[in-house]
Amino acid sequence: MTLSARRLLYLSALLATWVVIVVCRLFQVQILRHDDYVLRAQRQQERTLTLAPVRGSIRDARGRILAESVTAESVYADPSAIVNPSETARSLAAIKGLGVTQKELERRFRARNEFAWIARQLLPEVAAVVKSLKLAGIYTLEEHRRAYPKSSLAANLLGYVSLDGEGLGGAERSLDRYVRGRAGKVTLLRDARRGMYLVGGEGKNKPVDGTHVILTIDEVVQYLTEQALQKAVEGYGAQAGSAIVMDPRDGSILAMASYPSFDPNRFRDFSPATWRNRGVQDLYEPGSTFKIITASAALEEGIVTPSQIIDCGAGSIEIARTTMREHGGNKYGLMTFEDVLAKS
């Protein structure tokens, strides 16, 4: 075999080996590990975000707004698209109202993630400052946040919500299925130049807003009740108090107040003990105050009359081998039903 033929043979063998290697690699990538690479590509190129619906408002009996959802913007980052993590973190941390330290931002930027929240539900003016910096890898997303325009008014009754719009207490929680609505979905895409785009959010992926709810509460009556309750608690040096105002004509609740209270716009700044609606969550032993109920029932059924004489005994009565005595050692004896109600 000549030298030229031998060289041609070696070259052919080399090319054949290279073709076999390429074919094997293509078989591995496109057949054996196809699903794995598709999943990895999707993780790099797209991310599904939840679009929170606009939560329905909560209003008083006259239609005055007690809780509503207002426009807010959230800031997120694509860490892999950030050129200078330290400088970007420093610029963001200097923004008043963002509420994230430079150290924490740098930690998020250096993590091996394709997506990282920076701050949720910011005020429009704070988000505007972030946009004005035009930082690479930093983006904004329009959301809604819960707002309580009357501050602490009826706070214990209304409750509060999480960042994701979930009712966590009070009417916000008990009526959550009505006012929350249905969340939608949007896809966050990234192109070869690291640009970020939001697509979707339409059709079946479009969020459905919540329903507005009207309570029997009257804002004015609620305010006056809270003022009177606070004055009474502080005046008598009590630890806490509650008050409920009911319409005697139909039993509707016009006011339900608890003290001390809190501001649901920033409920995390207050002790959890202040979040409680004491009017429905605290145990209450009525004692002799319940006599109004039993007396009214007895009069309504005609069992007694106001002037009927009642034998109160010698100031004591034995029930189930237990002797109970009048307060203060009193021995009233015979009394009219009116006097029993007044002195019991």
Side-chain angles (χ1 to χ4, degrees):
M1 182 179 293
T2 63
L3 180 62
S4 297
R6 189 180 296 115
R7 287 180 177 176
L8 181 60
L9 180 62
Y10 288 157
L11 181 59
S12 298
L14 180 62
L15 290 174
T17 302
W18 178 80
V19 170
V20 171
I21 293 174
V22 171
V23 170
C24 290
R25 181 57 177 166
L26 288 174
F27 179 78
Q28 181 191 34
V29 172
Q30 297 188 6
I31 304 299
L32 298 181
R33 301 190 61 186
H34 173 268
D35 294 341
D36 178 53
Y37 282 114
V38 168
L39 181 60
R40 290 173 64 179
Q42 288 178 341
R43 289 177 177 174
Q44 291 180 349
Q45 299 168 4
E46 62 183 64
R47 181 186 179 92
T48 300
L49 300 179
T50 299
L51 283 180
V54 179
R55 196 173 176 85
S57 64
I58 299 179
R59 305 170 182 240
D60 80 341
R62 297 181 181 274
R64 292 169 289 209
I65 295 176
L66 301 175
E68 63 180 341
S69 291
V70 297
T71 301
E73 289 194 76
S74 295
V75 181
Y76 64 93
D78 175 6
S80 61
I82 297 176
V83 179
N84 190 327
S86 296
E87 181 62 25
T88 301
R90 186 190 65 79
S91 299
L92 290 172
I95 299 176
K96 185 177 180 181
L98 197 64
V100 188
T101 64
Q102 180 177 345
K103 183 177 180 180
E104 173 61 21
L105 287 172
E106 288 186 17
R107 185 189 68 78
R108 298 180 190 179
F109 294 162
R110 298 185 189 282
R112 294 182 178 181
N113 296 323
E114 303 298 332
F115 179 93
W117 283 116
I118 295 177
R120 299 285 302 279
Q121 300 178 5
L122 296 172
L123 295 174
E125 53 267 28
V126 178
V129 176
V130 175
K131 292 179 181 178
S132 68
L133 297 178
K134 298 181 179 180
L135 299 170
I138 305 300
Y139 310 91
T140 60
L141 174 67
E142 183 177 302
E143 292 191 293
H144 290 83
R145 65 179 178 84
R146 202 59 165 167
Y148 302 87
K150 304 300 190 301
S151 188
S152 62
L153 183 73
N156 304 87
L157 169 66
L158 295 173
Y160 46 94
V161 301
S162 67
L163 273 176
D164 295 320
E166 178 184 2
L168 299 179
E172 293 280 25
R173 181 175 181 178
S174 61
L175 300 173
D176 190 64
R177 59 176 175 152
Y178 301 108
V179 299
R180 188 173 187 178
R182 190 188 71 208
K185 292 181 180 180
V186 64
T187 301
L188 186 65
L189 299 178
R190 184 173 63 185
D191 60 19
R193 296 183 178 182
R194 299 289 184 180
M196 302 287 278
Y197 306 92
L198 293 174
V199 297
E202 299 296 332
K204 65 179 182 179
N205 291 325
K206 184 178 181 180
V208 178
D209 296 342
T211 304
H212 301 307
V213 172
I214 297 179
L215 306 177
T216 61
I217 297 297
D218 185 287
E219 179 186 306
V220 176
V221 179
Q222 179 72 29
Y223 174 78
L224 295 174
T225 302
E226 290 185 5
Q227 294 297 305
L229 177 62
Q230 178 179 352
K231 183 178 180 180
V233 171
E234 294 177 352
Y236 288 99
Q239 293 183 347
S242 62
I244 300 175
V245 179
M246 179 185 293
D247 189 333
R249 295 169 297 183
D250 57 12
S252 60
I253 305 299
L254 302 179
M256 183 177 288
S258 297
Y259 185 84
S261 186
F262 69 102
D263 185 350
N265 291 297
R266 47 188 184 89
F267 67 92
R268 292 182 182 85
D269 295 339
F270 295 80
S271 167
T274 64
W275 303 345
R276 193 168 65 251
N277 184 352
R278 297 178 181 275
V280 296
Q281 291 181 269
D282 285 10
L283 293 176
Y284 172 66
E285 298 180 0
S288 64
T289 59
F290 200 71
K291 64 187 179 183
I292 298 174
I293 307 299
T294 54
S296 298
L299 290 170
E300 184 176 13
E301 295 298 323
I303 298 175
V304 295
T305 62
S307 59
Q308 183 174 333
I309 301 298
I310 305 296
D311 186 0
C312 299
S316 65
I317 185 173
E318 184 175 324
I319 300 177
R321 299 182 181 180
T322 299
T323 301
M324 291 176 285
R325 294 178 172 80
E326 282 280 4
H327 175 70
N330 293 309
K331 298 179 181 180
Y332 291 113
L334 300 177
M335 301 175 64
T336 64
F337 184 74
E338 290 177 331
D339 288 336
V340 170
L341 190 59
K343 297 181 181 297
S344 65

